[in-house]
Amino acid sequence: MIAVVGAGLMGAATAWQLARRGHEVTLIEAYDIGHRHGSSHGSSRIIRRAYADPFYVQLTGQAYEQWRELEDDSSTPLLRKAGGLDMGEDRDPKAIADLLAAAGVPHELLGPEAAAERWPYIRITGPVLYHPDAGVVDADQTVAACVRRAIEHGAEAIIGARVTGVAVQGTPEKVLLRTDDGREITADTVVIAAGAWLPELELPFALPQLEVTQQQVFHFRQRDPSVRWPTLIWDGDLHLYGLPSGSDGGPLPAVKVAEHDRGTPTTARTRSGVVDASSRTRVSGFVRDRLPGLEPDPVAEATCLYTTTRDEDFVVDRHGPFVIASPCSGHGAKFAPLIGAMAADLATGRAEPHPRFRLDRSA
């Protein structure tokens, strides 16, 4: 039996991948499905091919294939294409365009005048990369679809039980999991997909250096509700992203804008859940300056958690009877069904970990 600890995006996707392959799976989640205590909640995450790293450009292509499989298997639309813009004085649209061209990804490189004419509700002063396949993933619906289909494929789900003890026993090795409601669960392999809770689990091997931060996101109402906003990546004095909000932004069309960096160090257990007022000021100032098509005062806001490695690559690796699936350094949601497939391959011995995702890499 394969146990999966954590039913966020990565754990739910792993349980789905394993169960649909016919494996015996037990999914264990400390909270309710779709809870707000980690990194996987909300109605909107960016999906895009535009990375300044050819490795991730390739990986996004594989992820899109897995998203289509999940949508087909669950009969649930999860992705919505909106197109995506990359810009900012510290962003190099030409270099990213070259990588997309090498990978055969549709894109356009526009000067500021042409871009401003196409997107007049954004103040554009430099070159812009546009790629039409970017869009939005509904994280809440993805988790729900993966858990539902995992159960329909035969998985058992234990909801509202926190793993409090992990012990390796016997030859061949098995793992005994103890939960706070008195259960003892024996598994041949355990996939740990605990996200920000990972550093707090007492696992019998070393983890790479991880930093948990509390991030904040803000939703700004569109001045013109009929405008179809693209996703945005902006690198300059601020490092921000933007995307259509979905239901998180309220009943009227809104755009979610947030800083990718400058999170507050914390732990999953001790996070405050209080939005950083200085981040609100910076993001609202950016909206006022650069996004005139939005009202500059947020209509909704929330906090979430990043769990970041030093090199911002993921951790998807096996150690004995354990598989670690994520943490994902704040950019993993778009890869969820692919990371689930990778973790399932490791759990069943079908593949070796990618060197960049190993536990013991130098970074």
Side-chain angles (χ1 to χ4, degrees), residues 132-312:
D133 288 340
V136 178
V137 172
D138 189 311
D140 286 336
Q141 288 188 13
T142 299
V143 170
C146 285
V147 173
R148 173 176 58 83
R149 287 302 288 151
I151 293 171
E152 291 171 351
H153 283 302
E156 177 186 3
I158 299 174
I159 309 303
R162 181 180 301 281
V163 171
T164 56
V166 180
V168 178
Q169 299 179 333
T171 304
E173 291 181 330
K174 292 183 180 290
V175 180
L176 176 65
L177 300 174
R178 294 186 175 88
T179 64
D180 59 0
D181 63 354
R183 299 174 195 253
E184 292 189 347
I185 302 160
T186 301
D188 300 292
T189 303
V190 177
V191 179
I192 305 291
W197 297 90
L198 177 62
E200 302 189 26
L201 292 174
E202 295 183 2
L203 299 174
F205 53 89
L207 295 170
Q209 182 176 331
L210 303 173
E211 182 182 36
V212 177
T213 55
Q214 179 175 281
Q215 309 289 136
Q216 29 275 314
V217 300
F218 306 93
H219 302 270
F220 300 88
R221 188 159 294 158
Q222 296 181 198
R223 295 185 189 274
D224 181 351
S226 69
V227 168
R228 187 170 178 265
W229 276 74
T231 69
L232 309 168
I233 299 293
W234 176 277
D235 282 340
D237 290 340
L238 298 176
H239 301 276
L240 302 106
Y241 60 91
L243 65 160
S245 294
S247 60
D248 289 347
L252 298 177
V255 174
K256 171 180 169 182
V257 186
E259 294 178 295
H260 179 65
D261 55 359
R262 302 200 196 193
T264 303
T266 187
T267 71
R269 196 176 299 275
T270 62
R271 63 182 291 188
S272 70
V274 177
V275 168
D276 179 359
S278 65
S279 181
R280 185 191 301 114
T281 298
R282 288 190 297 271
V283 174
S284 293
F286 176 85
V287 169
R288 186 174 288 105
D289 180 43
R290 288 284 177 176
L291 306 179
L294 301 177
E295 298 285 351
D297 296 319
V299 295
E301 57 189 24
T303 65
C304 65
L305 296 175
Y306 277 9
T307 308
T308 305
T309 62
R310 290 176 62 187
D311 58 11
E312 296 194 7

